[in-house]
């Protein structure tokens, strides 16, 4: 992790998301770590908007994965939320390899629950809530 961004509040989240997008490089799978309420979903939503997603971006808590198209990318964006996963079989059943290795960009919430399945080149993104209410994003 050698990049660090600070989100001062919701009014600066889009700037932070644009900075994140500039630093994504060739990465395709991004694992977002952070406590409940740290702002993972909100930040992923801002990243998707920066990438040109017009659809409403919501947490895929019940669907496990949401797929978005972007005018700026030639491939889909997948947003995962593994919070409700009980067994790895559920992840096998959904065909995770097609997503993780299929050429799209993957943003993953609660990757702790499926860590053994993450590709080796997964980029870890840590979101920490600071005492002053700001967020620090390290990746």
């Amino acid at each position: 992790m050698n990049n660090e961004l600070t989100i001062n509040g919701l009014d600066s989240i889009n700037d932070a998301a644009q900075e994140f997008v500039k630093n994504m490089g060739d990465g395709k799978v991004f694992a977002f770590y952070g406590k409940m309420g740290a702002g993972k979903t909100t930040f992923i939503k801002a990243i998707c908007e920066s990438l040109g997603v017009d659809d409403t971006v919501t947490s895929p808590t019940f669907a496990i994965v949401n797929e978005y198209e972007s005018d700026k990318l030639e491939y889909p964006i997948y947003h995962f939320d593994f919070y409700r996963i009980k067994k790895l079989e559920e992840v096998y059943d959904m065909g995770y390899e097609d997503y993780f290795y299929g050429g799209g960009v993957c943003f993953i919430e609660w990757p702790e629950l499926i860590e053994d399945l993450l590709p080796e080149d997964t980029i870890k993104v840590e979101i920490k809530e600071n005492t002053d209410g700001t967020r620090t994003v390290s990746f």
Side-chain angles (χ1 to χ4, degrees), residues 3 6 38 43-44 51 53 56-58 61 67-69 71 76-77 84 94-96 98 109 119 121 125 130-131 133:
N3 289 310
T6 300
F43 190 53
I44 290 171
L51 288 170
V53 172
T56 303
V57 176
T58 57
T61 302
E67 179 177 343
Y68 301 108
E69 299 294 326
D71 296 340
I77 298 168
R84 300 179 61 81
M94 69 179 286
Y96 78 94
D98 295 341
E109 294 186 54
D121 60 352
V125 182
N130 303 311
T131 52

Side-chain angles (χ1 to χ4, degrees), residues 51-54 69-74:
L51 288 170
V53 172
D54 288 330
E69 299 294 326
S70 158
D71 296 340
K72 297 181 182 179
L73 302 176
E74 297 170 12

